[in-house]
Amino acid sequence: MPEQSPTPKKRRRGRLFRFSAALVVLLAVAGYLVVQYVTGGRGGPGCKVVSGKDDGQEYEFTQEQAMNAATIAAVGTGRGMPARAVTIALATALQESQLVNIQHGDLDSLGLFQQRPSQGWGTKKQILDPTYAAGVFYEHLAKVNDYQKLPLTVAAQRVQRSGYPEAYAKHEPDAALLSAALTGQAAATLTCQGLPDTTVTATGPDAVRAALVRDFGRTILKKTGAEVTGDSTSKDTSRTKSTSKSTPAPGASATGGSSTVTLPVRSGSTKTGWQLAHWAVANSSVLHIERVSYAGREWAAGSADDPWHSTGTKAAGGVRIVTERQAGQ
């Protein structure tokens, strides 16, 4: 008996099913592309910050976002801005760019804070420098009367003049967690996977010192009196005179290994110590940092399941940053 051909009703149902399936796939692809467009295709969360108050609050984000957040915090404290200013800046950047240094936006908006060259924020090159972008944001924020007493969304809007002023408020909880960690108010609360960025060529103690100067300012090494142990013979790209010492470390060689940058922290300055320690973790991927230790606690790359474990030793007086050296350094 020959098969009966599908009725028009069945054909319509078949077409509808195929159309629905295609639409689901299209929406999934579109969603993926949007995420890639916003984040630059730089992968999923590799870092986490938790509350220092043991209240269960946490925020997950990427290593790139962590690095940009650490820069924003370092620039703020380097300028003597209070933690509240850092929270406002981080919430603003979360809203404007999701803490990704994007090269696009509304009209000619660019960078972490979506600042516009046509509106006097600086040149395109300047705005795409996270250190500059954070600095000019703080310059404008400092001119807002009583900004520390204002609601975050009001203070941010006074600087940004956004078309969606209420949008900043939703980022305040996450910004507060980041600010507490990255200004050193909450100890051992930020951790990252720290998987090395294979596209980076500048590693070793000189790269760490240069990055410190970039974010905190040229006085940072003079204040800490950074000490380097290990074979470090490459040029100091920070161009900052410091009390750095270079001595061979056990097992160090010119063909690889690791070096340690020690940043002494004055007694009673634990907030500074934890800010530097968290900054190092946030920059661990790009600087190929293997371990960070401070105040009897240690973080190690690739140990996200056991972050900031106790070393079981007496707390040292400084932040120790162990970094992979390139062959030949």
Side-chain angles (χ1 to χ4, degrees), residues 192-227:
C192 292
Q193 283 284 355
L195 302 178
D197 185 340
T198 57
T199 66
V200 174
T201 57
T203 61
D206 293 339
V208 172
R209 289 180 294 188
L212 282 163
V213 170
R214 175 199 68 204
D215 286 357
F216 289 92
R218 291 187 173 275
T219 62
I220 184 64
L221 296 184
K222 293 180 181 179
K223 288 180 180 178
T224 60
E227 298 178 358

Side-chain angles (χ1 to χ4, degrees), residues 119-286:
Q119 299 301 307
W121 286 93
T123 66
K124 178 179 178 179
K125 182 179 180 180
Q126 287 175 322
I127 292 172
L128 288 174
D129 175 357
T131 303
Y132 172 89
V136 74
F137 177 88
Y138 287 121
E139 284 180 13
H140 283 73
L141 180 63
K143 296 175 183 177
V144 176
N145 291 332
D146 294 325
Y147 71 84
Q148 293 193 67
K149 299 178 182 178
L150 295 174
L152 183 146
T153 191
V154 174
Q157 175 63 2
R158 296 276 176 88
V159 177
Q160 295 295 103
R161 308 294 181 186
S162 169
Y164 305 94
E166 69 285 349
Y168 301 110
K170 65 185 178 184
H171 298 288
E172 185 166 2
D174 294 335
L177 287 179
L178 285 169
S179 178
L182 293 170
T183 60
Q185 297 179 87
T189 53
L190 187 147
T191 187
C192 292
Q193 283 284 355
L195 302 178
D197 185 340
T198 57
T199 66
V200 174
T201 57
T203 61
D206 293 339
V208 172
R209 289 180 294 188
L212 282 163
V213 170
R214 175 199 68 204
D215 286 357
F216 289 92
R218 291 187 173 275
T219 62
I220 184 64
L221 296 184
K222 293 180 181 179
K223 288 180 180 178
T224 60
E227 298 178 358
V228 177
T229 58
D231 214 8
S232 176
T233 57
S234 59
K235 185 178 179 181
D236 184 352
T237 55
S238 67
R239 300 181 184 178
T240 302
K241 294 180 180 179
S242 69
T243 58
S244 298
K245 303 173 185 177
S246 181
T247 56
S253 70
T255 58
S258 61
S259 293
T260 300
V261 179
T262 302
L263 305 174
V265 177
R266 294 191 303 272
S267 177
S269 299
T270 55
K271 287 184 180 180
T272 299
W274 278 113
Q275 177 173 24
L276 291 168
H278 285 150
W279 174 92
V281 172
N283 283 273
S284 58
S285 180
V286 71

Side-chain angles (χ1 to χ4, degrees), residues 15-32:
R15 286 196 297 269
L16 181 60
F17 176 80
R18 289 192 295 273
F19 175 79
S20 299
L23 182 59
V24 169
V25 172
L26 182 61
L27 289 174
V29 172
Y32 172 80

